[in-house]
Amino acid sequence: MKKMLVSLGLLWSCLLRADPMGMDHYVQQIEITFKSEAAASVAQLRMLPLYHGFDQAFSSRWDDNHMGDLKVREIMAQYGQKGTFFLNDSAGYHEPSESGMVLADPGKEMAKALRVGGNSIGAHSLNHEFVPYLSRNRQFYEVLGCRVDREINSQSPVLAYAFSFLSIRNPLDEGSQWDLGEILKRAGFYHISEHMWAQRIENDFLLGTLICGDGGQPQFSGSLESELAKPRAVDDKPLWVVSMHPWALAWGGPEFPLLRALYKKWSGKKNWWYCDQNAYAAYRWQFLYSRVQVLRSGKTLKLNLERPDPLDLNDLTPLSLALKGVKASDIVEIRSPHAKLVRFEFSENPAFDLYHDKDRGLPDAYGFEASGLQASLSLGNGNLKLALKNNSAKAIRSLRVAFRLPLKYSPGVVKRSLEGIGPGETRELEIPLFAVSMKKFRLSWEAGKSRVTHELQTAADTALEDWGRAYEVAQVDAAYEDGRRVRGYASCWEPAPQPDGSFPQGAFLVKGPFGADQLELAKSALKDPKALTGAIAWSRPAAELSEPLGPEIIVAGGKNNSRTFYKWDKNIYHPGPDPLRYVMWANVEASQGGLHRAIFDEKSVEAMLLNGKAVLHGSLELKKGSNDLRILYAAQAIGPQSSFSPNHYGAWFRLLGPRGERTDAVRYALPTLP
């Protein structure tokens, strides 16, 4: 009997893409038996671009630790809506609800309560920071630390991320968004709930398209109706997302009438998939990066389907497949030896939802406490070592470890597997740590009616990636002989190296803040460090302010409002409109003289003096040896949330070398107090 192997090239070419997240894949077997060889010979298999053949995907995004989320969840359930709640540190502040929603212990209870009704939990950074302005190591902690915390806290997988303040890049730092994307990948995220992410960078992530903001204000030009009417290819199936804060005032009052009206308009649509963002992301990822081989033999089609493993997908949404060219009555049986199948019809074609194999699944519990597995992570001699002990009465059948590493190391995710850890037994895993040397990334942006892509390969700025303490994590997924699956995390901190003197942070004395009525005092301090300015004295910012921030931020003397957002410290809250001003002063030691260009926020730097002369247009003529640099900084922040701005951190400042790279040929040093 003639056999023919049909590759995916006859199906969907988009399925041949390599998985950019490096997920583990496995192969499933499916067998389809037809009533005749003729039917088997013409049947064409295809994956459906959305689950169960739905035409549109619709979801919601709600941000922050806010008790109003409970009211929103209640309203969503009334309209058949599902979504994802993007939360911060479970131990952090939980803002009260204006609708009277309360819990005895929000930190322990809220995430689990929000999952009711088919919703999921996403990550929103631990401390609601302007993440791109933190050090690369701190970014990794804010992102991955939030996933670790909220998986254990909610007892559910976390795969989707939403940026606090919608802050996805530092516009002064060309590589900041690329680095942040790499951090998200290393942390295990593959969905970002904001379409703006793809505006200036080549994108590997699945995205949510925000159709409105607080109060239902549109987030893109045109209407959703016009967007829905656009013809789309199978690899272009957006997720439409309602967003973003459960603020009663923004939505018309404690009963959220504006939100109810919006949901009423967009609920109950025929052939729409109302889903949480985990399910959408997992389905689309499988659609884009699964592969199929079809072996035809007489009346039978035997399929080998390679698809991502649930341990990396972090979701169990099945994959929907349809058969073209045949009718349901032509099929005798569709079966898989290890997976559940549910048949349905799609556009008069027989179709089926294929679940994952029974021996593949998600954790039943998160956190080592419930399992009896003990794990500790330590660093020594350039290696990362994980020590494991099975303290339970049941043997561990198999165990997979994903070491998740910060940007300073390559590769960023290292996976290892173990089998057979009996009760009371111990195991150790050790991996070497290799410093990253080269980075390659693509910037992409709109230019008129076309899109421009710029590829850049550069030596890694290891000093930038090495700044501050480094956070390292081992994600441990264990399968026990009794069928239980448990996920836990072990972590450790790598001590910070000595600060690199080619960065400005920590080398400036700061005088301030000066209020709007003290501008002349600030100008006199800029011109003459000895000038009397009343009670305002030169000082070094506190270490706790500097430690989380990127090394190119000259930290101002006051606290950034966002860091205390959930404490509402009225003593440091500064709504504007007049900015607080600071004078910043350092010596710049140059190994050789020459012209350097500086990058900084020109609106916030009101004046700059180098060796007593005004600096114009960011051009600094350094002399060999010591140079006196002074800056008058006023944190400019515009708009209704101007009190929350990365400019409040301090002045971001970078000196460039002759090729446009950050120069390390200078050393910043504290000046001598007058």
Side-chain angles (χ1 to χ4, degrees):
M1 184 178 291
K2 184 178 180 182
K3 295 183 179 181
M4 179 172 60
L5 186 67
V6 183
S7 75
L8 192 58
L10 291 177
L11 308 175
W12 294 106
S13 61
C14 63
L15 303 181
L16 290 171
R17 301 169 176 166
D19 187 331
M21 301 297 170
M23 293 186 186
D24 287 347
H25 287 225
Y26 74 103
V27 177
Q28 286 183 295
Q29 285 79 41
I30 307 100
E31 188 172 289
I32 305 174
T33 304
F34 295 87
K35 290 181 179 178
S36 67
E37 290 190 19
S41 67
V42 298
Q44 292 181 305
L45 180 75
R46 64 166 177 152
M47 296 181 194
L48 301 180
L50 285 178
Y51 168 67
H52 214 66
F54 287 115
D55 184 55
Q56 303 289 346
F58 197 88
S59 189
S60 293
R61 160 187 170 172
W62 300 102
D63 291 5
D64 304 345
N65 293 356
H66 197 302
M67 296 297 291
D69 284 336
L70 297 167
K71 186 65 176 180
V72 167
R73 182 215 62 191
E74 182 182 282
I75 296 170
M76 290 169 63
Q78 293 171 5
Y79 290 91
Q81 295 284 344
K82 297 179 182 179
T84 299
F85 293 86
F86 293 89
L87 305 178
N88 308 112
D89 189 349
S90 62
Y93 176 75
H94 287 66
E95 192 167 350
S97 164
E98 299 98 329
S99 305
M101 311 301 289
V102 295
L103 291 170
D105 189 340
K108 291 183 178 180
E109 300 173 39
M110 192 169 84
K112 295 186 182 74
L114 295 175
R115 291 178 56 208
V116 174
N119 304 306
S120 60
I121 303 301
H124 196 48
S125 84
L126 281 170
N127 295 294
H128 206 281
E129 295 281 10
F130 290 91
V131 173
Y133 294 82
L134 306 178
S135 70
R136 267 43 171 190
N137 280 325
R138 183 69 177 210
Q139 290 178 29
F140 189 61
Y141 171 63
E142 285 284 333
V143 168
L144 178 53
C146 192
R147 179 179 173 224
V148 171
D149 170 63
R150 282 302 182 176
E151 283 202 341
I152 295 172
N153 173 260
S154 69
Q155 289 294 294
S156 67
V158 172
L159 63 86
Y161 193 85
F163 287 96
S164 42
F165 301 107
L166 296 178
S167 180
I168 61 176
R169 58 187 289 265
N170 174 359
L172 300 174
D173 183 358
E174 188 179 49
S176 64
Q177 188 179 350
W178 187 94
D179 281 349
L180 194 46
E182 179 65 17
I183 284 170
L184 287 169
K185 291 179 183 180
R186 292 173 181 227
F189 295 98
Y190 60 99
H191 178 80
I192 299 173
S193 189
E194 43 219 304
H195 59 277
M196 298 79 77
W197 174 265
Q199 289 175 353
R200 282 194 57 83
I201 193 168
E202 188 173 80
N203 176 54
D204 290 328
F205 294 90
L206 295 168
L207 305 175
T209 299
L210 306 184
I211 64 172
C212 67
D214 296 320
Q217 295 298 315
Q219 286 290 302
F220 53 78
S221 59
S223 65
L224 180 56
E225 288 88 348
S226 63
E227 289 293 319
L228 292 172
K230 289 181 179 179
R232 296 185 182 277
V234 293
D235 61 347
D236 182 20
K237 284 289 186 179
L239 176 67
W240 309 110
V241 179
V242 173
S243 70
M244 98 184 17
H245 296 100
W247 298 337
L249 182 62
W251 293 97
E255 291 301 314
F256 289 72
L258 296 178
L259 180 61
R260 291 178 186 274
L262 191 150
Y263 279 149
K264 183 178 180 180
K265 179 178 181 179
W266 296 112
S267 295
K269 300 291 184 182
K270 184 179 179 181
N271 209 30
W272 279 34
W273 183 22
Y274 296 99
C275 58
D276 71 284
Q277 297 190 42
N278 281 15
Y280 169 84
Y283 188 87
R284 290 293 294 168
W285 203 263
Q286 292 177 94
F287 172 80
L288 292 170
Y289 301 111
S290 296
R291 302 169 184 241
V292 178
Q293 287 184 325
V294 182
L295 180 65
R296 302 182 192 272
S297 179
K299 300 178 182 180
T300 302
L301 261 64
K302 293 184 178 180
L303 315 177
N304 291 320
L305 171 66
E306 180 191 303
R307 66 193 295 190
D309 192 292
L311 283 183
D312 290 326
L313 277 175
N314 281 304
D315 187 88
L316 292 175
T317 299
L319 193 56
S320 302
L321 301 99
L323 291 160
K324 293 184 66 177
V326 295
K327 298 179 180 180
S329 58
D330 293 325
I331 299 173
V332 176
E333 182 184 29
I334 305 176
R335 63 179 295 273
S336 176
H338 306 295
K340 175 183 174 182
L341 286 164
V342 177
R343 292 177 63 173
F344 66 98
E345 283 200 7
F346 173 73
S347 298
E348 300 182 353
N349 294 314
F352 58 96
D353 292 329
L354 177 64
Y355 289 74
H356 285 280
D357 279 2
K358 296 174 183 177
D359 64 347
R360 307 275 174 168
L362 294 178
D364 303 299
Y366 294 78
F368 292 132
E369 295 79 4
S371 68
L373 180 62
Q374 181 181 331
S376 63
L377 192 65
S378 60
L379 184 73
N381 299 320
N383 293 333
L384 197 59
K385 184 169 73 174
L386 177 68
L388 299 162
K389 183 177 181 181
N390 182 7
N391 289 321
S392 75
K394 300 291 184 179
I396 296 174
R397 175 171 47 85
S398 63
L399 183 144
R400 194 197 74 171
V401 178
F403 294 95
R404 302 192 177 278
L405 307 176
L407 286 183
K408 62 192 294 184
Y409 296 121
S410 181
V413 179
V414 179
K415 295 176 183 177
R416 295 287 186 267
S417 296
L418 289 173
E419 293 187 4
I421 306 179
E425 291 185 351
T426 61
R427 292 286 191 278
E428 287 189 354
L429 280 174
E430 193 166 357
I431 63 166
L433 297 174
F434 299 103
V436 68
S437 58
M438 295 296 295
K439 292 198 298 188
K440 183 176 181 179
F441 58 95
R442 289 184 177 182
L443 303 178
S444 182
W445 61 90
E446 297 292 340
K449 295 183 178 180
S450 60
R451 193 165 186 89
V452 176
T453 299
H454 172 63
E455 185 172 289
L456 177 64
Q457 180 166 315
T458 180
D461 192 339
T462 54
L464 185 65
E465 291 153 353
D466 206 31
W467 185 273
R469 296 190 304 157
Y471 178 63
E472 283 122 16
V473 171
Q475 175 186 319
V476 181
D477 286 284
Y480 286 79
E481 62 180 358
D482 60 2
R484 287 182 303 138
R485 298 179 182 275
V486 176
R487 172 176 295 171
Y489 291 94
S491 63
C492 67
W493 286 94
E494 183 177 341
Q498 286 295 316
D500 188 314
S502 67
F503 292 112
Q505 190 183 112
F508 277 75
L509 292 177
V510 176
K511 208 172 200 181
F514 295 92
D517 59 346
Q518 297 174 305
L519 177 57
E520 293 307 314
L521 284 179
K523 289 181 177 179
S524 65
L526 177 72
K527 294 178 181 178
D528 181 6
K530 298 179 182 179
L532 298 177
T533 51
I536 304 176
W538 291 107
S539 64
R540 296 182 68 182
E544 62 266 22
L545 295 180
S546 305
E547 194 272 335
L549 301 177
E552 291 168 299
I553 292 179
I554 307 167
V555 181
K559 294 182 180 179
N560 172 58
N561 287 328
S562 73
R563 190 174 292 115
T564 57
F565 176 76
Y566 294 110
K567 296 179 182 177
W568 287 109
D569 186 343
K570 300 298 184 183
N571 295 320
I572 63 169
Y573 182 76
H574 183 72
D578 294 317
L580 295 174
R581 289 178 170 84
Y582 300 86
V583 179
M584 302 167 170
W585 179 29
N587 286 332
V588 182
E589 304 289 339
S591 58
Q592 58 184 16
L595 186 66
H596 290 71
R597 187 165 69 89
I599 300 177
F600 50 85
D601 181 24
E602 295 181 2
K603 292 181 179 180
S604 294
V605 174
E606 294 185 332
M608 184 182 300
L609 300 179
L610 179 67
N611 299 321
K613 296 181 179 180
V615 173
L616 301 176
H617 311 299
S619 295
L620 282 73
E621 186 70 43
L622 295 177
K623 64 180 182 180
K624 184 177 181 179
S626 182
N627 296 264
D628 184 290
L629 178 63
R630 300 175 214 157
I631 298 170
L632 177 58
Y633 181 76
Q636 296 290 340
I638 302 172
Q641 295 189 37
S642 61
S643 56
F644 305 111
S645 165
N647 286 337
H648 293 309
Y649 285 135
W652 195 91
F653 186 82
R654 174 183 288 179
L655 281 176
L656 302 181
R659 296 185 300 277
E661 79 286 1
R662 184 189 74 84
T663 183
D664 58 1
V666 299
R667 290 294 180 267
Y668 296 88
L670 286 168
T672 303
L673 280 170

